Amino acid sequence: MQQTFGNFVEQENGDEYLVIHFSPTSLPLQQRWRNSGLSADFLAEYWSTFFPAHDVSSRNKQLEIKGGINYIANELLENIMKYSYLPADYPVSLGLCLYQDEFKFYARNAIDPDAVENFQVRIQALLAEDTQTLYLQQVEQNAANAKSIGSHLGLLTMINDYNAQLAWKFETISQDPEIIVVTTMVQLAL
Amino acid sequence: MEIKGTNYHVTYDSTTATVALQGTLRLRGINEYDPIVELLDDVTAQEPETITLNLQNLQFLNSSGINILFKFVIQIREQGSSKLVVRGSTKIPWQKKSLQNLQRLMAGVQLEWGE
């Protein structure tokens, strides 16, 4: 069974792409966490080769692209690590593909079946409502609630601060045991 | 007041009421940011006339970190005792993207851009 939200496009790797693929259960989260930063730094540096800097304008462009890749890759990897449903013992991955006028990120992880409904409600709000308003509301809510654990700002910052387009695909990989995999697609225009 | 992490350094100079965050901050959620949050709470509690937040050497900040900066600004706003000046760098991409939101959270925030 499959369900998509937003303008989801299947991953077609093309000529230039990288994929990081790992098991979410092979290392404790505390040890694994540093890899999200390492990976994001690497991805940003790697793709900057395709945007050489030879004057002020191209240098600024390179910096902007590196910054966008670094931030989005880091957030997607942190989300994979935080929200991956470990009992499914299903591998996770982050793919990054370069096209002529954009990058497409694909983050894939198993999700707690009990969390799917709430997540889809949230996704529908992100796609339908004014995300600037949602952003400021979430920030104020976080400040008012001293005990809030997650910031819930990762996706909102991508949309509002980086003008990224987001879409999702949910797939039921297995019924018994129930394993549902979500793919988050992020499009970052060049 | 000072906090030193593997890749980051947070300091508070009470003579100039300046909080400086340097390095790379990718901590895991609110619990790991607690020591920095406590430092920022102490700064607000002192109610200086102007608080300066110096981010000119903060190369990277994840969304959990952006959240604690926003909380700090909201706290200053709610307390109503201090003005806020934020120093950013035009050479650091996340700042050009995300710092303008501070002005939406608190009227009168002064954003100063250096290289």
Side-chain angles (χ1 to χ4, degrees), chain A residues 29-30 33 37 41 63-64 67 70-71 74-75 78 132 135-136 139-140 142-143 145 148-149 151 153-154 161-162, chain B residues 26-30 32 60-64 66-67 70-71 74 77 90-94 97-98 100-101 104-105:
Chain A
L29 179 57
Q30 187 64 34
W33 192 257
D41 286 345
L63 210 56
E64 186 173 351
N70 203 333
Y71 185 82
N74 188 75
E75 288 300 317
E78 287 189 4
Q132 183 68 62
Y135 191 2
L136 295 175
V139 169
E140 296 283 355
N142 292 345
N145 181 5
S148 66
I149 304 207
S151 72
L153 288 181
D161 298 347
Y162 293 85
Chain B
R26 288 183 169 123
L27 301 179
R28 186 160 58 101
I30 195 67
E32 291 197 5
F60 188 94
L61 189 62
N62 65 359
S63 60
S64 300
I66 289 174
N67 185 48
F70 287 167
K71 275 190 171 186
I74 289 172
R77 180 192 76 196
T90 54
K91 288 206 155 87
I92 300 179
W94 77 264
K97 297 288 186 186
S98 297
Q100 73 236 14
N101 295 300
R104 296 189 181 108
L105 284 177

